[in-house]
Every structure is written in C-alpha cells, then in structure tokens.
Amino acid sequence: MRTYADLFAAREFRNLFLANCAGIAAHTTSALALGALTYASTGSALLTALSMFGAPLAGVLGSLTLLSAADSLPPRRALTLAAVLVTVGAAVQAAPGLPLWARFTIIFASAYVGSITGGARWALLTDILPANAFVLARATMNTSVGVMQIAGFGLAGALLVLLSPYQVFLLAAVLRAVAAAVGWFGLSERPVRVTERTTIARTLRVNKELWADPGRRSLFLNLWVPGGLIVGCEALFVPYAGDRAGFLFAAAALGMLIGDVVVGRFLTAARRERWIPTLRLLLSVPYLVFLLSPPLPLAMVVALIASVGFAAGLPLQERLIAHSPPEARGQVLGLHHNGMLAGQAVCAALAGAVADLVPAYWAVALLAGAALTATVALTSGLRRTAPEPVTAIPTPPA
C-alpha cells in the first residue's frame, strides 16, 4: 500500500479520515467563535489565548487518569461516545447566557474526553491497514488536520462577519454530529486489546512501564520537546509580523504539508530512517536566522523550510509502534499525542513570557536555540531504537 489511491480504497480508512476532518473543522470553528466571545467580554489576550489554545493541557490529566480506555474499550464505541459528548458540549456553547467559566469548563472537559480516547483513533490505523501503510496513513491524517484547520478558521472568520458566535457554535455541533455518525456507521467494531478494566491505577502502571524503557522514553522526548519548542516559535508570529502573521502561518503550514507528503508518500522505510537526522536539525536551525530580524519574505522562507522538519515525527512514530507492546498500542499513541499537544501549549506560553522580556525576533531565535540544544542532547538515545542494518545474504558458490 504505497499510494493515496491504495489508501483511500480501504473503506474504513476513508470513514476514519472523514470523521477526523469533520471533528477538526468543528474544533477550529468553535475555537475562533469562543475566542471572539472571550475577547469581546473580557478584553484579555491571555484568556482569549487560553480559550483557543489552552484546552490540550487537559491531555495531561487524561494521560494520568483514564488513558488506558484507549485499549480497554471497543474502539468504535469509544470514539463514538467521545464524539457524542463533545457534540453535546458544542451545542451547550450555543446558549447565549452561558457564563465564561462554564464555557471554559466545557472546552476543557471536551479536551479531556478526547485525550483518553484519541489514542484509539491512531491505533485503529494499525488495525485497518497493513503495517507498512502506517506512515502514509499518519501523514495523510496530518495533512488533513492542517488543511481543515486553515479551512475551519477561514470559514469561522467569514461566518462571524455574518452570524453571531452562538450560531457558529451550532454549526460546530452539526459538524461534531457528522463525525459521530460517520464513526459509528463507517467503522467496524473490534475487540478490546486488553480485558482489564479502565482504571487510574492501570493507566499509571502502564505509563510507568512504557516510560521505564530507555528506548521508548527517548522516542517520547524526541517527539515532544524539539517540536514543542518550535511551536513556541510559531506562537510569536503575531508579535513579530502583526497583521501580516497569516503569511507566516501559511508558509509554516505549507512546509508541514510538503514534509508529510514527501516522507509519507515517496520515501521507503530505509530512506525515512536515513533522513531522520537531517529532518530533526532542519526543524530548528533555519529559525536561528531570526537573530537578524529578517524581512517578511525571508521569514516566510525560513518558516516553510523549518516546518518540513516536522516530518521527522513520522519515522519516529513508526519506531514507537515497533518498540511498544501491541496490547498497549492505544495508550502508547495516546500518550504521544497528549504529550505533544500539552508540550506545544506549554512552549507557546513560555515563548510569550520570553517575548515580554526581549524583542520577538530574539525570542524566536532563543526558542530555536533551545530546540537545537534539545535535538542534539536527545540524539544519543535514538540509537537504542535504530533498526538493525539489513545485510545481504551471500550467494553460495555454484
């Protein structure tokens, strides 16, 4: 399974892809509506940022409590239940008189529910597709996330000119309902990976076992830390470029798209492994140019080139699956996903704090330097999970 045609020929992947697209579009439209509502009622940039981008922090709580549900609940049932609960939350947001604290409670509760079942979605890719298709499938899902985020923010921005935020919340609820329906009717149910009950104790025990292995620990850190710091760089695009920051976000999104397509579609497994060191360095080194406070066109080129480096996460996730027990695959991928999003939120906040003390272009360069330092420091740990080189078997003499 090497082409997009092969991938989308699988009915369940098509439906999982469509459900994910609808969910991402719903999230972005409702996030912008909530951001607009929060800023209009409070005038606080901090609260506005938290309303739009702070929800992934709930993933930390999910990872420490009920993340084992990703393996101990039937995946179709778990994903559909989560989608229904989030649909209800989006519908409640449409109530005009809802206080702000209640709105924040809803978005964090929705993020918590998503964090404990999200691993089941990524683990399903390994169930419905051949093993050698995971990277292409994950890259395709990554691409859909970027495209739907752009489309969702664009649609919400246009709709907020014509409609109230409460009406946009209703649209988000409809999209959430579509995601729930596609997941329920478009996926086949599969047995649970483990028969143990979902408990906090089990989640913590499996997390401890996963973290205790040096190879897996290195993979988690490599997937969380450098990329999170680079997202911190992106969080400073608005302070750096003002009302032209959209060009920088678009350039970064294009770079991620290029990386996912090239690495996911055109590189063999062996070539993906060979490109890991280059892609890891590419993620941070270009942003050092910000020390010179580059003009917008050059800054766009920097953001585009650097964002290609995010594709290093694809072969690293491939390694993570190969070095993890199959019965904990949902929790493994959920832990990776939650840690990645939480790290991005923390690094974005860190970047904002740094930019309050120094010029934005210095802050970008400092975050990039920290990402480069982390990349170099974490390199040695990757040797533990490097695949064994394949040696040719000599042909016996005639």
Side-chain angles (χ1 to χ4, degrees):
M1 189 172 283
R2 294 295 310 278
T3 68
Y4 293 115
D6 293 337
L7 194 62
F8 283 97
R11 180 188 65 87
E12 286 190 281
F13 176 79
R14 289 198 308 271
N15 292 325
L16 191 64
F17 178 86
L18 289 173
N20 195 57
C21 285
I24 295 297
H27 172 74
T28 51
T29 52
S30 59
L32 191 57
L34 183 57
L37 202 61
T38 302
Y39 191 74
S41 60
T42 68
S44 168
L46 176 59
L47 288 176
T48 302
L50 285 174
S51 71
M52 295 181 67
F53 303 111
L57 292 174
V60 176
L61 181 61
S63 297
L64 295 175
T65 54
L66 300 179
L67 185 59
S68 56
D71 294 304
S72 56
L73 293 178
R76 183 181 72 158
R77 194 178 309 169
L79 292 175
T80 303
L81 177 61
V84 169
L85 291 175
V86 174
T87 300
V88 172
V92 173
Q93 291 275 25
L98 201 66
L100 194 59
W101 65 264
R103 297 189 185 279
F104 273 69
T105 300
I106 289 171
I107 63 167
F108 278 92
S110 298
Y112 175 76
V113 170
S115 73
I116 62 178
T117 59
R121 175 181 295 105
W122 308 123
L124 262 179
L125 293 178
T126 66
D127 293 334
I128 65 181
L129 297 169
N132 64 354
F134 175 80
V135 168
L136 177 60
R138 194 66 171 89
T140 304
M141 296 288 271
N142 289 350
T143 301
S144 73
V145 170
V147 171
M148 295 312 297
Q149 283 179 338
I150 294 170
F153 280 128
L155 175 64
L159 289 177
L160 284 171
V161 176
L162 305 172
L163 306 174
S164 70
Y166 313 110
Q167 292 170 314
V168 175
F169 283 132
L170 284 177
L171 172 62
V174 171
L175 290 170
R176 293 287 189 186
V178 169
V182 172
W184 180 255
F185 293 107
L187 298 174
S188 300
E189 191 59 282
R190 286 171 171 79
V192 298
R193 288 186 172 81
V194 292
T195 56
E196 293 182 65
R197 293 176 55 195
T198 300
T199 63
I200 295 176
R202 181 175 178 274
T203 296
L204 295 176
R205 174 173 57 80
V206 175
N207 282 347
K208 184 178 179 180
E209 292 170 357
L210 294 174
W211 192 254
D213 180 80
R216 280 194 296 267
R217 184 166 64 243
S218 172
L219 288 169
F220 279 129
L221 291 173
N222 274 279
L223 285 164
W224 293 343
V225 180
L229 289 165
I230 295 304
V231 169
C233 294
E234 295 176 357
L236 298 177
F237 284 171
V238 172
Y240 182 79
D243 58 4
R244 297 184 296 172
F247 293 106
L248 289 174
F249 283 115
L254 179 59
M256 290 184 66
L257 175 63
I258 292 171
D260 284 333
V261 170
V262 172
V263 174
R265 170 64 181 86
F266 295 107
L267 297 187
T268 63
R271 288 182 177 176
R272 287 195 294 268
E273 284 292 329
R274 288 199 294 269
W275 273 93
I276 286 176
T278 301
L279 290 170
R280 292 175 70 239
L281 292 173
L282 189 65
L283 186 60
S284 55
V285 170
Y287 276 111
L288 297 177
V289 173
F290 270 72
L291 273 174
L292 305 176
S293 186
L296 182 64
L298 178 56
M300 290 172 61
V301 173
V302 166
L304 186 150
I305 294 173
S307 295
V308 174
F310 279 111
L314 294 172
L316 292 181
Q317 288 177 63
E318 199 171 24
R319 284 194 193 185
L320 185 61
I321 291 173
H323 289 82
S324 299
E327 66 274 12
R329 190 164 288 165
Q331 187 161 342
V332 168
L333 294 174
L335 189 61
H336 151 59
H337 189 67
N338 293 344
M340 179 185 69
L341 294 181
Q344 291 175 358
V346 170
C347 289
L350 173 64
V354 173
D356 282 341
L357 303 175
V358 299
Y361 64 93
W362 281 12
V364 171
L366 287 171
L367 267 291
L372 178 59
T373 301
T375 297
V376 174
L378 293 170
T379 296
S380 61
L382 290 179
R383 299 191 187 101
R384 302 176 188 271
T385 57
E388 294 292 332
V390 178
T391 57
I393 300 175
T395 303

